[in-house]
Amino acid sequence: MAPSTSVTVIGQGLPRIDGPKKVSGLAQYTSDHHFPGLLYAVPVTSTVAKGRITALDPRAALAMPGVVEVFHQGNFAGKLFRKQASKGKVDENRPPLSDNTVSYYGQYVALVIARTFEQATEAARAVKVEYASEPPNVSMRLAAEEKTSVDTERGDVDQAFTSAPVKIDQVYTTPVQTHNPIELHASVAVWNGEQFTLFETSQAVMNHQMVMAQMLGVQPQQVRIITEYLGSGFGGKLWPWTHATLAAAAARELGAPIKLVVDRAMMFQTVGHRTNTQQRIRLGATADGKLNCVSHDYLFHNARLDTYKENCGEATGFLYSTPNLRAAWSFARRDIAPPTSMRGPGAVPGLYALESGMNELAVALKMDPLQLRLANQPERDESLDLPFSSRHLTECLHTGAERFGWARRDPRPGSMRNEAGAVVGWGMAACSWMAKALPAKATVQLAANGRARVMCGTQDIGTGTYTVVAQMVAALTGLPLARIDVVIGDSSLPPGPMSGGSMATGSLVPAVQAATQAAIDEALQAAIEHDPRFAGKAPGALAFDQMQVSIKGEQGKAVLLQDILQAAHMDHVSGEGEGAGSAEAQKHYSQHSYGAHFVEVVWQPEIARLRVDRVVTVIDAGKVINPQTGRNQIEGAIMMGVGMALFEETEYDPRTGAPLNANLADYIVTTHADAPEVDITFLDYPDMTLNPLGARGIGEIGLAGIAAAITDAVRHATGVQVRDLPVRIEDLLDAPVGLAS
Amino acid sequence: MAKQKLQFSPDNPPLLPLSRRSVLQALGISSTAAVLGSGLAQAAGSAAAAPGDAAEPGAQILNMTVNGEPHSLKIDPRTTLLDALRERLQLTGTKKGCDHGQCGACTVQVNGRRVNSCLSLALMHEGDAISTIEGLGTPEQLHPMQAAFVEHDAYQCGYCTSGQIMSAVALANEPYGTSDSDIKEAMSGNICRCGAYSHILKAIKQARG
């Protein structure tokens, strides 16, 4: 049934359909919404990390001009509820202002509502709060406090390690990192007496609806979540945070629309972070570089009240072939706000450690790190004992090495120079990220105005969902993207996937395809019933392309669907579609994406200047529906990887427990001037076990492994092996490849 | 007595002027419900006009031109140029990212020069000509820099984009060189956390010709 044009639009780097709105300032993000009578909410945040509130005096604030209300435990407890354990996801389940305990610095202790943002901001400073506080523990040195759990195990790791001819045993640490999307988290909450309309910064409007309904104590159909445009999230906007419940409950209490925008300092306190990790990697190999054991023991921190797992062992079990392997974990609690998923949760810090270990093993073996990886590729997933659905890591490694010029590498540290005479270092690493799909539903309408409309309760977080969904519809209808309306970002639409885990696109493919096909089938039925030219024909005898119906073999006499519908007094035909997700396929296949990074750093010891100059990345992520938006995502992940390797660390004051560098000048992210030259290749092998287009996700994999490639390049340039991220200039001041060399 | 509902609708922008007392009183007033869609947000711009003296003691008159249109606002002296544009004039294309001049999302042009509007109090702009992204071009008639951003996919989420574009347009009149490294340095006050930097560079080079 699919017309011949269908193959062309999938895999085309078409411009984003939402681009013109984004570049003209018309795309409406959450905090852009405004309503008559809107009130502004500004939270008061705790200045201690551990203790309890002993007194809270709102009188001075209430007396200030424009102040409408000050909510605090005394007048707000009981307005919000906990959600059930099994229904929906949230990282902080304690309702805000529900009691007087403080378990992290920056916890909301009051909420000031005023007529203007300026009035609310000043009044928030006037709320007097007294605490009985205890010294917090925000130490980044971790010891297992909970029982160790095993992710995966085979053979006898300890015995194999003891007898290994060549081995490494190192601890790698990653610091707390903070998502810092440029869009501040925000809620604009409207309660009309019966229903909540909540404009939220959400990567998952359906989950947001489910959680908010429970926490507000209303039915899900009383809550509508809207996220038309999201200023990115990187995982930090997956699950609702306390500001969202506060804003909604305040709107209900006051009967007025409430706008609450989290400020940048609060972005480091109340909306999650990537937990720090401390990972011991033990690798053993034969003298010719065959791995005989991989041991990955990792720790991370958790908040006092909620438990999150940073799944660092995600890729450990299947990335390389080895008879003996174990990945195991535990955690320690700290007086720090709850951590959450951040881009490539688990695998990103986990592969930093594992791939750093591989690079150090290569040094110990006096072997090229590329050859070490090539020599240890598994035939099947040795952890799950399943075949790989589609794994082309070896080709990624070969292609990347060729594009980078890896064969010219001289392994001696400090031995290579660029054209300007500066020291360069080369490093590489492999990467992987899970390929999964979630259940999803979608509706497609083909309308009498000649346009198609696709509707789904998913959202575009900057990844290009608007555009790739339009491409999916275009592939089956033959319509140009300009005639396809994509309606997403609203929980009242058919339930769609979250934008997390690189799962949205792959989950949407079967649902949108099925819905489009169902709508086309309806169109053909309408033609048979309402147009005498098609009366009595079997649907299979008809063809549909570019909103035209024809008899197969007589495409020259095609009839516009809009004419058929108009004659039949129909506004549109519609179809519904559903995707089942990948749970069944995962019983039969090990489904993952793969890739390889090759990095060049430039080291100028005379001015202690280090920069990442060039990155070559090859990604095997199945069929890439839009290579332009896809390449942009991989490149963006590499930019974040430069930050992870060289800049990003949230530091906590041991006296107060406060995140110290809670702003964008002191928490350094990659700027334009830091951006390396990037060369990205997609292998483009469709993974047909995942969905009918063979598309896997691409949002996260680019950040996996890149930090290990960078630190290996730093070692190659400077002779210094940094294991505690980020690499600091002070780590390199005594570098063997320094001024003296 | 059962708690009754408040009404909000474009025809009845209630609760102005609003005090704590009036809100508490209003909680007893019955009405029908109005579901507010995003379309209303546009309409609400004029309805939610700047409050009067009684509501904002110390408010002062500010006259400035925004995208060629003269505006006279009575404004709280604490209001930043950014918040005046977004919350008073409903010109929400200019974005708030940090309030500290660290991210560049709020970049606008003041008399042709790029500034971080979050770092500047609105009342400092008496008589100034402000240009925002809304004044540059529309989806139907994009400025060449806007068109180049679309063509080169010079964004992902789009949140920093207004600031990037306002910065890039102003840059053309600054004494920077035209090499890639000059442009990258000059654009480093505008953070793109999505990391679309090479695409932004391509767009700027194309639009500059």
Side-chain angles (χ1 to χ4, degrees):
Chain A
M1 180 58 63
S4 57
T5 52
S6 68
V7 286
T8 59
V9 73
I10 300 296
Q12 261 192 48
L14 296 168
R16 285 171 210 256
I17 61 172
D18 48 341
K21 283 179 83 177
K22 283 182 172 174
V23 298
S24 54
L26 296 179
Q28 280 216 304
Y29 297 79
T30 299
S31 65
D32 298 342
H33 292 277
H34 196 90
F35 294 98
L38 182 79
L39 300 178
Y40 292 82
V42 172
V44 180
T45 59
S46 167
T47 54
V48 305
K50 183 180 186 184
R52 60 189 172 83
I53 301 164
T54 54
L56 188 146
D57 184 355
R59 285 173 296 179
L62 284 167
M64 294 171 75
V67 174
V68 173
E69 184 57 284
V70 177
F71 290 118
H72 50 86
Q73 186 275 335
N75 63 4
F76 199 76
K79 306 291 185 195
L80 288 167
F81 306 90
R82 287 179 193 274
K83 78 160 192 69
Q84 289 180 57
S86 61
K87 286 197 173 173
K89 287 194 178 178
V90 68
D91 284 305
E92 182 171 352
N93 202 4
R94 170 191 173 273
L97 314 187
S98 59
D99 58 40
N100 278 323
T101 49
V102 173
S103 60
Y104 59 87
Y105 186 98
Q107 180 179 314
Y108 300 138
V109 295
L111 185 73
V112 174
I113 314 287
R115 293 186 53 253
T116 72
F117 172 66
E118 292 74 24
Q119 291 167 338
T121 301
E122 184 155 354
R125 293 183 189 127
V127 175
K128 294 188 179 67
V129 189
E130 290 173 30
Y131 304 90
S133 68
E134 298 171 49
N137 181 355
V138 293
S139 169
M140 293 295 136
R141 297 302 300 172
L142 303 176
E145 289 180 359
E146 305 281 330
K147 190 172 75 65
T148 296
S149 303
V150 175
D151 287 327
T152 180
E153 184 167 22
R154 58 183 183 261
D156 186 333
V157 165
D158 295 318
Q159 192 183 24
F161 185 74
T162 305
S163 61
V166 183
K167 54 189 146 187
I168 64 111
D169 180 356
Q170 296 292 354
V171 174
Y172 303 90
T173 69
T174 61
V176 169
Q177 293 152 357
T178 305
H179 309 71
N180 279 311
I182 300 302
E183 182 195 31
L184 302 163
H185 287 239
S187 294
V188 176
V190 180
W191 166 251
N192 69 8
E194 291 168 3
Q195 286 195 303
F196 287 99
T197 305
L198 305 176
F199 298 83
E200 301 282 5
T201 46
S202 174
Q203 293 177 236
V205 293
M206 302 311 305
N207 179 76
H208 210 100
Q209 178 197 32
M210 192 190 305
V211 170
M212 293 297 282
Q214 293 177 73
M215 297 190 86
L216 290 163
V218 298
Q219 296 303 310
Q221 55 269 28
Q222 288 176 278
V223 179
R224 181 181 175 195
I225 308 297
I226 294 174
T227 306
E228 192 182 359
Y229 287 95
L230 188 76
S232 212
F234 310 116
K237 292 170 180 170
L238 273 170
W239 321 131
W241 291 103
T242 47
H243 67 270
T245 49
L246 274 180
R252 178 168 59 186
E253 289 305 304
L254 298 177
I258 298 286
K259 180 186 284 193
L260 195 170
V261 181
V262 170
D263 73 22
R264 185 56 64 180
M266 294 175 200
M267 295 280 283
F268 288 79
Q269 296 165 354
T270 52
V271 292
H273 57 272
R274 193 200 296 278
T275 181
N276 69 320
T277 70
Q278 189 174 309
Q279 306 176 61
R280 183 184 182 192
I281 298 286
R282 292 183 297 159
L283 302 176
T286 60
D288 61 349
K290 290 296 279 187
L291 276 173
N292 68 3
C293 72
V294 171
S295 172
H296 190 175
D297 295 296
Y298 60 97
L299 299 169
F300 50 89
H301 82 233
N302 251 312
R304 290 291 169 195
L305 300 180
D306 300 88
T307 302
Y308 166 83
K309 182 188 174 188
E310 185 74 16
N311 189 27
C312 297
E314 181 194 313
T316 307
F318 60 83
L319 196 57
Y320 298 110
S321 176
T322 182
N324 305 290
L325 179 142
R326 185 177 64 218
W329 60 282
S330 181
F331 64 88
R333 293 200 183 273
R334 291 288 182 268
D335 300 303
I336 292 177
T340 188
S341 300
M342 179 169 163
R343 198 175 202 171
V348 163
L351 281 169
Y352 162 66
L354 180 64
E355 287 296 281
S356 292
M358 288 293 283
N359 286 332
E360 292 210 64
L361 180 65
V363 172
L365 285 162
K366 297 186 170 58
M367 188 173 179
D368 187 304
L370 172 65
Q371 295 307 320
L372 175 63
R373 276 135 176 130
L374 291 170
N376 289 284
Q377 292 300 307
E379 291 295 313
R380 58 198 274 115
D381 185 323
E382 295 173 5
S383 178
L384 298 175
D385 193 25
L386 288 175
F388 294 114
S389 59
S390 174
R391 172 171 166 142
H392 302 276
L393 178 53
T394 298
E395 187 175 337
C396 290
L397 291 164
H398 282 304
T399 303
E402 190 175 318
R403 294 184 75 88
F404 187 84
W406 186 257
R408 300 197 308 276
R409 178 176 181 264
D410 180 334
R412 295 167 301 155
S415 63
M416 296 179 70
R417 298 285 185 278
N418 65 11
E419 287 167 1
V423 178
V424 300
W426 286 5
M428 58 86 55
C431 61
S432 176
W433 180 250
M434 63 182 174
K436 282 187 180 170
L438 300 165
K441 292 182 179 177
T443 298
V444 168
Q445 296 176 348
L446 304 174
N449 63 5
R451 300 181 68 83
R453 167 179 288 246
V454 52
M455 293 168 283
C456 179
T458 187
Q459 50 288 308
D460 189 333
I461 65 171
T463 47
T465 303
Y466 277 107
T467 309
V468 298
V469 167
Q471 286 177 271
M472 294 172 202
V473 175
L476 291 178
T477 60
L479 278 175
L481 298 197
R483 282 168 63 193
I484 299 170
D485 299 310
V486 180
V487 182
I488 57 175
D490 184 339
S491 64
S492 65
L493 298 168
M498 65 170 179
S499 300
S502 299
M503 291 188 252
T505 300
S507 308
L508 286 164
V509 167
V512 173
Q513 280 198 338
T516 308
Q517 193 55 56
I520 291 171
D521 293 345
E522 284 295 309
L524 299 182
Q525 202 59 45
I528 293 164
E529 287 178 19
H530 300 292
D531 192 307
R533 285 164 286 193
F534 303 111
K537 296 285 178 190
L542 303 184
F544 183 91
D545 188 20
Q546 299 187 44
M547 296 294 265
Q548 296 177 73
V549 180
S550 60
I551 297 166
K552 280 181 182 166
E554 298 178 26
Q555 267 87 341
K557 292 190 242 169
V559 180
L560 283 172
L561 177 64
Q562 50 206 99
D563 293 341
I564 297 170
L565 293 178
Q566 281 167 13
H569 302 293
M570 293 175 76
D571 176 68
H572 62 263
V573 289
S574 72
E576 288 166 15
E578 193 167 350
S582 60
E584 182 59 32
Q586 276 162 19
K587 295 176 188 165
H588 308 290
Y589 297 100
S590 170
Q591 297 172 304
H592 306 273
S593 289
Y594 297 90
H597 300 289
F598 294 81
V599 169
E600 177 174 311
V601 300
V602 175
W603 168 232
Q604 295 166 275
E606 62 278 13
I607 53 170
R609 182 171 190 256
L610 176 73
R611 67 173 270 117
V612 178
D613 211 43
R614 184 165 72 96
V615 177
V616 171
T617 294
V618 182
I619 297 291
D620 164 30
K623 181 73 190 171
V624 176
I625 294 176
N626 187 320
Q628 178 161 254
T629 57
R631 191 171 290 116
N632 203 337
Q633 279 204 76
I634 300 295
E635 186 169 336
I638 289 165
M639 297 305 148
M640 199 173 269
V642 171
M644 177 181 175
L646 302 187
F647 308 132
E648 294 188 36
E649 174 176 16
T650 303
E651 302 190 64
Y652 292 84
D653 185 337
R655 298 162 301 178
T656 63
L660 277 173
N661 52 339
N663 64 77
L664 289 175
D666 296 317
Y667 184 94
I668 304 168
V669 301
T670 304
T671 68
H672 205 143
D674 302 310
E677 179 191 325
V678 176
D679 174 282
I680 293 158
T681 303
F682 289 117
L683 292 188
D684 226 20
Y685 290 109
D687 184 346
M688 303 312 286
T689 68
L690 201 65
N691 56 58
L693 290 179
R696 297 194 295 231
I698 43 181
E700 284 154 293
I701 186 167
L703 186 53
I706 181 74
I710 293 171
T711 53
D712 193 43
V714 170
R715 183 200 59 77
H716 185 229
T718 67
V720 177
Q721 178 73 50
V722 177
R723 300 185 183 92
D724 303 313
L725 291 184
V727 177
R728 297 163 179 276
I729 288 303
E730 50 266 42
D731 294 328
L732 307 178
L733 293 179
D734 293 330
V737 184
L739 282 175
S741 68
Chain B
M1 188 182 92
K3 188 182 277 187
Q4 292 170 309
K5 302 152 205 161
L6 276 176
Q7 175 173 358
F8 312 107
S9 75
D11 303 329
N12 183 19
L15 311 182
L16 287 175
L18 192 60
S19 67
R20 180 169 179 247
R21 179 178 298 165
S22 71
V23 166
L24 295 175
Q25 285 173 339
L27 283 169
I29 299 167
S30 175
S31 82
T32 53
V35 174
L36 300 174
S38 53
L40 183 55
Q42 306 285 353
S46 54
D53 281 342
E56 268 191 303
Q60 294 178 36
I61 298 287
L62 165 67
N63 296 292
M64 62 181 182
T65 304
V66 182
N67 300 329
E69 274 185 40
H71 286 270
S72 185
L73 296 173
K74 200 158 200 180
I75 201 158
D76 187 321
R78 298 168 295 191
T79 308
T80 63
L81 177 59
L82 171 62
D83 288 322
L85 292 168
R86 287 180 54 79
E87 305 298 334
R88 294 301 174 88
L89 299 178
Q90 306 306 321
L91 291 170
T92 53
T94 305
K95 302 302 185 200
K96 178 179 284 196
C98 71
D99 269 330
H100 286 58
Q102 295 168 338
C103 76
C106 67
T107 304
V108 301
Q109 291 166 17
V110 177
N111 305 326
R113 296 181 63 172
R114 51 180 173 158
V115 302
N116 289 322
S117 61
C118 74
L119 282 188
S120 166
L121 291 169
L123 285 175
M124 296 162 66
H125 293 286
E126 179 67 28
D128 281 345
I130 314 295
S131 303
T132 72
I133 191 73
E134 290 91 346
L136 202 59
T138 62
E140 295 72 33
Q141 201 158 16
L142 295 174
H143 180 279
M145 188 67 75
Q146 292 171 313
F149 266 62
V150 174
E151 181 181 339
H152 292 283
D153 207 40
Y155 44 52
Q156 286 174 36
C157 75
Y159 194 82
C160 74
T161 305
S162 302
Q164 300 278 359
I165 291 173
M166 296 310 287
S167 222
V169 170
L171 177 60
N173 300 318
E174 293 174 14
Y176 272 99
T178 54
S179 72
D180 287 4
S181 60
D182 288 329
I183 296 171
K184 288 170 75 170
E185 193 72 32
M187 287 299 294
S188 281
N190 293 86
I191 295 172
C192 173
R193 183 62 159 158
C194 298
Y197 293 124
S198 79
H199 305 249
I200 293 169
L201 180 64
K202 281 183 200 145
I204 293 173
K205 287 167 72 174
Q206 173 176 308
R208 284 166 66 123

